[in-house]
Amino acid sequence: SMGHMMGWPLPECFLGMENAMTFAFTQFLLLIPIVFLNRQYYIGGCKALIQRAPNMDSLIALGSGAAILYGIYAIYRIGIGFGQMDMDTVHAYMMELYFESAGTILTLITMGKTMEARAKGKTSDAITKLMDLAPKTATVERDGTERVIPAAEVQPGEVLIVRAGESVPVDGVVLEGASAVDESALTGESIPVEKQAGDTVIGATINKSGYFKMRATKVGDDTTLSQIVRLVDEATSSKAPIAKLADKVFVPVVIAIAAVTTVVWLLTGQTVGYALARGISVLVISCPCALGLATPTAIMVGTGRGAVNGILIKSAEALETTHSVTTVVLDKTGTITQGKPVVTDVLPFGAERDELLAVAASLEKRSEHPLAEAIVSEAEKEQLALLPVEEFEQIPGQGLRAVVEGRICLAGNRRMMEANHVENGELFSRGETLAEDGKTPLFFARDGRLIGLIAVADVVKPTSAQAIAELSDMGIEVVMLTGDNERTAEAIRRQVGVDRVVAEVLPQDKEREIRRLQESGKKVAMVGDGINDAPALARADIGIAIGAGTDIAIESADIVLMRSDLLDVSTAVQLSRAVIRNIKQNLFWAFFYNAIGIPIAAGVFYPAFHLKMNPMLGALAMSFSSVFVVSNALRLRWFKAKHAAAHTAPSPSDGGAEITTNQMTANEEKGETTMEKV
């Protein structure tokens, strides 16, 4: 449309007044597919106008629609001009074709919305994946025989059999047998829970060792897993979209100015064409390309910077909302802690350290208990040779008994030692102290005498304390929610410095706690990694999932931390604040530009200075404002998170205890990450 003004080599059939009709009609034909592809603006915008709640779509529909209608009117006037050989009319209306204004408006706005939509994630997949967690089959005991049936057909009261490695099909009560059940996915408890007759088991948890029979108590929609699915669904669908300032204030004001402009020029005796041109100029120049791009472009650049920093932001709303977070709720297992038990203390008593570790690893090598894996891997790390083991025996709820090199050895908890009359008040007291610190003490005896204890715990991640301190420094309250026991939770609280702890919470309790915080007027971000966190992640204003966590947690969240590092939570908040600052700058310039451009377009300065603007120049000016806004948004590409110096690693505790931690230090100048083992 502007090629003839720029001196571009357009085909001859579009140049000169004699080809005015071809030039005009070709533009109209080229515009039709653009209008068809963007018809949702007209449908939504007109509906909003009818309901007296005009929004951005209404302004787009009015601005582009008025330009199209006036362009069609201009085609008729050109045709009439040719019919009457009135070349002045032909020339005048050839310059007043506004099809390119309509096309530009629709295309730029759609580009902005497309960029925004690409960043959005779907939460419906989370519900599907949650449902897939439930075991598909169950082994049921009917008429004295075992039968494998679909889990959906299990009836309350039926007796089920669960072997090692199988998932528990439904909620129920253990009738006979003993095992360790991994409930971490649902409760957050990092250590598998010992189950004996009379204990409850939850559907979709995993039987790590042993064999047991259970009676089904809750099936179908009543199971804990089904309740989590329902909570995720409800919490996701109840999220309200952020109301945009432009919709509420800017749009009605602009529409009113355009209408008043047209009426005033008609009343002053100007032609309908002139009055309409002024009204359309107001709509076109204010048509929110700058406003429409102010948010999505800043968010798109911010999202890109997040990805570079290992932070995946799924939606514009997530990035917009994160800056106003006042409370961060953290899950414990796998979020603050590593999520995997490791040996923290080796306390020999009457034996060498390596000797104690070799005996312990030899015994635990045959055990199916997850704590055993930590001891065996510690021995392998120190390259200790395992000893031959005979007459191996597991004692449910207590530990192990076996013969090692011809000597009877015991491994287990304090209860096992006392049952076998192995006493040592000093070592038991040390065990209690370690338990107070959230560690699990395991005692080892040989020939009726204690040879030491090994403590195993889910240790805190190296950067957790620093990340929590940074969040506190930013004025954000930090709360820890965990399904783990009170004592372990309190020990972790002392180590990392969270403001408040809520322990022993079930998945639905986590969601309820988030809702309670929201009802007290707080903007809440939830950080978690397990299936048990999914409802809370979906309910929170911002759900942040640890990248090493489950697919369900990742799907339910708004933000995913790919590096599984809590420091990235403070980075995400800093990034969000930088983006919001940028958006405010963009909106300021967009409004400032409109404050100057609208009066010129309306013809306010025409009587005094003969200054007016035709819609084509309005569209051009509008494009320049968009370029300005996008350029400002691109400044976010230089965003860098500011982190305080890392906290020093804890020194080894007294009494020969050995603490193994990995301290990560970031080399910000070179942008590389180095690992140092302390």
Side-chain angles (χ1 to χ4, degrees), residues 142-181:
R142 287 179 180 170
D143 305 323
T145 60
E146 291 183 19
R147 291 170 58 189
V148 177
I149 63 168
E153 293 178 14
V154 175
Q155 301 297 317
E158 284 197 297
V159 176
L160 307 175
I161 292 162
V162 184
R163 294 180 173 83
E166 292 181 348
S167 292
V168 179
V170 294
D171 294 6
V173 178
V174 176
L175 296 175
E176 61 178 78
S179 81
V181 176

Short mmCIF file of all heavy atoms in Angstrom, two decimals, residues 142-181:
data_model
loop_
_atom_site.label_atom_id
_atom_site.label_comp_id
_atom_site.label_asym_id
_atom_site.label_seq_id
_atom_site.Cartn_x
_atom_site.Cartn_y
_atom_site.Cartn_z
N ARG A 142 -10.15 -65.02 46.34
CA ARG A 142 -11.57 -65.36 46.31
C ARG A 142 -11.74 -66.88 46.37
O ARG A 142 -11.10 -67.61 45.59
CB ARG A 142 -12.23 -64.83 45.03
CG ARG A 142 -12.43 -63.31 45.03
CD ARG A 142 -13.06 -62.83 43.73
NE ARG A 142 -13.24 -61.37 43.73
CZ ARG A 142 -13.58 -60.67 42.66
NH1 ARG A 142 -13.78 -61.28 41.49
NH2 ARG A 142 -13.73 -59.36 42.74
N ASP A 143 -12.55 -67.34 47.31
CA ASP A 143 -12.82 -68.78 47.48
C ASP A 143 -11.52 -69.57 47.65
O ASP A 143 -11.35 -70.67 47.10
CB ASP A 143 -13.60 -69.33 46.27
CG ASP A 143 -14.89 -68.54 46.02
OD1 ASP A 143 -15.52 -68.15 47.02
OD2 ASP A 143 -15.23 -68.32 44.84
N GLY A 144 -10.58 -68.98 48.38
CA GLY A 144 -9.34 -69.70 48.68
C GLY A 144 -8.32 -69.71 47.56
O GLY A 144 -7.25 -70.30 47.70
N THR A 145 -8.62 -69.08 46.43
CA THR A 145 -7.66 -69.05 45.31
C THR A 145 -7.31 -67.60 44.96
O THR A 145 -8.10 -66.69 45.20
CB THR A 145 -8.25 -69.73 44.05
OG1 THR A 145 -9.44 -69.04 43.68
CG2 THR A 145 -8.53 -71.20 44.31
N GLU A 146 -6.11 -67.44 44.40
CA GLU A 146 -5.67 -66.10 43.99
C GLU A 146 -6.10 -65.85 42.55
O GLU A 146 -5.92 -66.70 41.68
CB GLU A 146 -4.14 -66.00 44.07
CG GLU A 146 -3.61 -66.01 45.49
CD GLU A 146 -2.09 -65.84 45.53
OE1 GLU A 146 -1.52 -65.36 44.51
OE2 GLU A 146 -1.48 -66.19 46.54
N ARG A 147 -6.65 -64.66 42.31
CA ARG A 147 -7.06 -64.29 40.95
C ARG A 147 -6.61 -62.86 40.67
O ARG A 147 -6.71 -61.99 41.54
CB ARG A 147 -8.58 -64.38 40.80
CG ARG A 147 -9.10 -65.82 40.84
CD ARG A 147 -10.61 -65.85 40.93
NE ARG A 147 -11.25 -65.16 39.82
CZ ARG A 147 -12.57 -64.90 39.76
NH1 ARG A 147 -13.35 -65.27 40.76
NH2 ARG A 147 -13.08 -64.27 38.72
N VAL A 148 -6.10 -62.63 39.46
CA VAL A 148 -5.71 -61.27 39.05
C VAL A 148 -6.89 -60.65 38.31
O VAL A 148 -7.36 -61.19 37.31
CB VAL A 148 -4.46 -61.30 38.14
CG1 VAL A 148 -4.12 -59.88 37.68
CG2 VAL A 148 -3.27 -61.91 38.88
N ILE A 149 -7.38 -59.54 38.85
CA ILE A 149 -8.54 -58.86 38.25
C ILE A 149 -8.20 -57.39 38.02
O ILE A 149 -7.26 -56.86 38.62
CB ILE A 149 -9.79 -58.98 39.16
CG1 ILE A 149 -9.53 -58.26 40.51
CG2 ILE A 149 -10.19 -60.42 39.38
CD1 ILE A 149 -10.78 -58.05 41.35
N PRO A 150 -8.94 -56.67 37.15
CA PRO A 150 -8.72 -55.22 37.01
C PRO A 150 -8.95 -54.52 38.36
O PRO A 150 -9.89 -54.86 39.09
CB PRO A 150 -9.78 -54.80 35.98
CG PRO A 150 -10.10 -56.05 35.24
CD PRO A 150 -9.96 -57.17 36.23
N ALA A 151 -8.09 -53.57 38.68
CA ALA A 151 -8.18 -52.86 39.97
C ALA A 151 -9.54 -52.19 40.15
O ALA A 151 -10.04 -52.04 41.27
CB ALA A 151 -7.06 -51.84 40.08
N ALA A 152 -10.16 -51.77 39.03
CA ALA A 152 -11.45 -51.09 39.11
C ALA A 152 -12.56 -52.01 39.63
O ALA A 152 -13.60 -51.54 40.08
CB ALA A 152 -11.83 -50.55 37.73
N GLU A 153 -12.33 -53.35 39.56
CA GLU A 153 -13.37 -54.29 39.98
C GLU A 153 -13.26 -54.70 41.44
O GLU A 153 -14.07 -55.48 41.94
CB GLU A 153 -13.31 -55.55 39.09
CG GLU A 153 -13.70 -55.28 37.64
CD GLU A 153 -13.59 -56.51 36.76
OE1 GLU A 153 -13.46 -57.63 37.32
OE2 GLU A 153 -13.63 -56.36 35.52
N VAL A 154 -12.22 -54.22 42.13
CA VAL A 154 -12.05 -54.56 43.55
C VAL A 154 -13.20 -53.96 44.36
O VAL A 154 -13.56 -52.79 44.19
CB VAL A 154 -10.70 -54.03 44.09
CG1 VAL A 154 -10.58 -54.27 45.59
CG2 VAL A 154 -9.54 -54.69 43.35
N GLN A 155 -13.78 -54.78 45.24
CA GLN A 155 -14.90 -54.35 46.08
C GLN A 155 -14.41 -54.09 47.50
O GLN A 155 -13.48 -54.77 47.97
CB GLN A 155 -16.01 -55.41 46.10
CG GLN A 155 -16.59 -55.75 44.74
CD GLN A 155 -17.28 -54.55 44.11
OE1 GLN A 155 -18.01 -53.81 44.78
NE2 GLN A 155 -17.03 -54.33 42.82
N PRO A 156 -15.02 -53.14 48.23
CA PRO A 156 -14.64 -52.93 49.63
C PRO A 156 -14.82 -54.22 50.42
O PRO A 156 -15.80 -54.94 50.24
CB PRO A 156 -15.63 -51.86 50.10
CG PRO A 156 -16.08 -51.17 48.85
CD PRO A 156 -16.08 -52.21 47.79
N GLY A 157 -13.84 -54.52 51.29
CA GLY A 157 -13.93 -55.72 52.13
C GLY A 157 -13.20 -56.91 51.54
O GLY A 157 -12.94 -57.89 52.25
N GLU A 158 -12.82 -56.86 50.26
CA GLU A 158 -12.12 -58.00 49.66
C GLU A 158 -10.68 -58.07 50.16
O GLU A 158 -10.06 -57.06 50.49
CB GLU A 158 -12.13 -57.90 48.13
CG GLU A 158 -13.48 -58.25 47.52
CD GLU A 158 -13.38 -58.54 46.03
OE1 GLU A 158 -13.02 -57.63 45.27
OE2 GLU A 158 -13.69 -59.68 45.64
N VAL A 159 -10.13 -59.31 50.18
CA VAL A 159 -8.75 -59.53 50.62
C VAL A 159 -7.83 -59.52 49.40
O VAL A 159 -8.05 -60.26 48.44
CB VAL A 159 -8.62 -60.86 51.39
CG1 VAL A 159 -7.16 -61.12 51.77
CG2 VAL A 159 -9.48 -60.83 52.65
N LEU A 160 -6.80 -58.68 49.46
CA LEU A 160 -5.85 -58.55 48.35
C LEU A 160 -4.46 -59.00 48.79
O LEU A 160 -4.12 -58.90 49.98
CB LEU A 160 -5.77 -57.10 47.87
CG LEU A 160 -7.09 -56.40 47.52
CD1 LEU A 160 -6.83 -54.94 47.20
CD2 LEU A 160 -7.75 -57.07 46.33
N ILE A 161 -3.66 -59.46 47.83
CA ILE A 161 -2.28 -59.88 48.12
C ILE A 161 -1.33 -58.94 47.38
O ILE A 161 -1.49 -58.68 46.19
CB ILE A 161 -2.06 -61.35 47.67
CG1 ILE A 161 -2.89 -62.28 48.56
CG2 ILE A 161 -0.59 -61.72 47.73
CD1 ILE A 161 -3.11 -63.63 47.99
N VAL A 162 -0.35 -58.42 48.12
CA VAL A 162 0.63 -57.50 47.53
C VAL A 162 2.03 -58.04 47.78
O VAL A 162 2.43 -58.22 48.94
CB VAL A 162 0.50 -56.07 48.11
CG1 VAL A 162 1.45 -55.12 47.40
CG2 VAL A 162 -0.93 -55.56 47.99
N ARG A 163 2.77 -58.30 46.71
CA ARG A 163 4.13 -58.84 46.83
C ARG A 163 5.16 -57.72 46.68
O ARG A 163 4.84 -56.62 46.26
CB ARG A 163 4.36 -59.92 45.76
CG ARG A 163 3.48 -61.14 45.97
CD ARG A 163 3.71 -62.20 44.89
NE ARG A 163 2.98 -63.42 45.21
CZ ARG A 163 1.69 -63.61 44.93
NH1 ARG A 163 0.99 -62.66 44.31
NH2 ARG A 163 1.08 -64.73 45.26
N ALA A 164 6.41 -58.04 46.99
CA ALA A 164 7.51 -57.05 46.89
C ALA A 164 7.61 -56.52 45.46
O ALA A 164 7.54 -57.29 44.50
CB ALA A 164 8.83 -57.69 47.30
N GLY A 165 7.74 -55.20 45.33
CA GLY A 165 7.87 -54.57 44.02
C GLY A 165 6.55 -54.18 43.38
O GLY A 165 6.53 -53.46 42.40
N GLU A 166 5.41 -54.65 43.96
CA GLU A 166 4.11 -54.32 43.38
C GLU A 166 3.54 -53.05 44.01
O GLU A 166 3.89 -52.69 45.13
CB GLU A 166 3.12 -55.48 43.62
CG GLU A 166 3.46 -56.74 42.84
CD GLU A 166 2.45 -57.86 43.06
OE1 GLU A 166 1.60 -57.76 43.98
OE2 GLU A 166 2.52 -58.84 42.32
N SER A 167 2.63 -52.42 43.28
CA SER A 167 1.93 -51.25 43.82
C SER A 167 0.69 -51.71 44.57
O SER A 167 0.04 -52.68 44.17
CB SER A 167 1.52 -50.30 42.69
OG SER A 167 2.65 -49.72 42.11
N VAL A 168 0.36 -50.97 45.62
CA VAL A 168 -0.86 -51.27 46.38
C VAL A 168 -2.04 -50.81 45.52
O VAL A 168 -2.10 -49.64 45.14
CB VAL A 168 -0.84 -50.53 47.74
CG1 VAL A 168 -2.11 -50.81 48.53
CG2 VAL A 168 0.39 -50.93 48.54
N PRO A 169 -3.01 -51.71 45.22
CA PRO A 169 -4.07 -51.35 44.27
C PRO A 169 -5.06 -50.31 44.78
O PRO A 169 -5.46 -49.41 44.04
CB PRO A 169 -4.79 -52.68 43.98
CG PRO A 169 -3.92 -53.74 44.58
CD PRO A 169 -3.13 -53.11 45.64
N VAL A 170 -5.48 -50.42 46.05
CA VAL A 170 -6.48 -49.51 46.63
C VAL A 170 -6.10 -49.21 48.07
O VAL A 170 -5.16 -49.81 48.61
CB VAL A 170 -7.91 -50.14 46.58
CG1 VAL A 170 -8.39 -50.31 45.15
CG2 VAL A 170 -7.94 -51.46 47.32
N ASP A 171 -6.81 -48.31 48.72
CA ASP A 171 -6.58 -48.04 50.15
C ASP A 171 -7.10 -49.22 50.97
O ASP A 171 -8.13 -49.81 50.62
CB ASP A 171 -7.31 -46.77 50.58
CG ASP A 171 -6.75 -45.52 49.89
OD1 ASP A 171 -5.88 -45.67 49.01
OD2 ASP A 171 -7.18 -44.41 50.23
N GLY A 172 -6.39 -49.53 52.04
CA GLY A 172 -6.86 -50.64 52.86
C GLY A 172 -6.08 -50.81 54.14
O GLY A 172 -5.30 -49.93 54.54
N VAL A 173 -6.29 -51.99 54.82
CA VAL A 173 -5.64 -52.30 56.10
C VAL A 173 -4.90 -53.62 55.96
O VAL A 173 -5.42 -54.58 55.38
CB VAL A 173 -6.69 -52.41 57.23
CG1 VAL A 173 -6.04 -52.79 58.55
CG2 VAL A 173 -7.46 -51.10 57.38
N VAL A 174 -3.66 -53.67 56.49
CA VAL A 174 -2.86 -54.90 56.44
C VAL A 174 -3.46 -55.94 57.38
O VAL A 174 -3.74 -55.65 58.55
CB VAL A 174 -1.39 -54.62 56.81
CG1 VAL A 174 -0.58 -55.91 56.84
CG2 VAL A 174 -0.77 -53.62 55.85
N LEU A 175 -3.68 -57.18 56.86
CA LEU A 175 -4.23 -58.27 57.67
C LEU A 175 -3.11 -59.15 58.22
O LEU A 175 -3.12 -59.54 59.39
CB LEU A 175 -5.19 -59.13 56.84
CG LEU A 175 -6.47 -58.43 56.34
CD1 LEU A 175 -7.25 -59.36 55.44
CD2 LEU A 175 -7.33 -57.99 57.52
N GLU A 176 -2.16 -59.49 57.39
CA GLU A 176 -1.02 -60.31 57.83
C GLU A 176 0.19 -60.01 56.97
O GLU A 176 0.09 -59.51 55.85
CB GLU A 176 -1.37 -61.80 57.76
CG GLU A 176 -1.71 -62.32 56.37
CD GLU A 176 -2.00 -63.81 56.36
OE1 GLU A 176 -3.11 -64.20 56.76
OE2 GLU A 176 -1.10 -64.56 55.95
N GLY A 177 1.40 -60.35 57.53
CA GLY A 177 2.64 -60.06 56.82
C GLY A 177 3.23 -58.73 57.25
O GLY A 177 2.62 -58.00 58.05
N ALA A 178 4.43 -58.45 56.75
CA ALA A 178 5.10 -57.19 57.09
C ALA A 178 5.94 -56.74 55.90
O ALA A 178 6.42 -57.56 55.13
CB ALA A 178 5.99 -57.38 58.32
N SER A 179 6.09 -55.44 55.76
CA SER A 179 6.88 -54.91 54.64
C SER A 179 7.24 -53.45 54.89
O SER A 179 6.76 -52.84 55.85
CB SER A 179 6.10 -55.04 53.34
OG SER A 179 5.18 -53.97 53.22
N ALA A 180 8.09 -52.93 53.99
CA ALA A 180 8.39 -51.49 53.99
C ALA A 180 7.73 -50.92 52.74
O ALA A 180 8.00 -51.38 51.63
CB ALA A 180 9.89 -51.26 53.97
N VAL A 181 6.86 -49.95 52.93
CA VAL A 181 6.10 -49.38 51.80
C VAL A 181 6.62 -47.97 51.50
O VAL A 181 6.71 -47.13 52.40
CB VAL A 181 4.59 -49.35 52.11
CG1 VAL A 181 3.82 -48.69 50.98
CG2 VAL A 181 4.06 -50.77 52.33
#
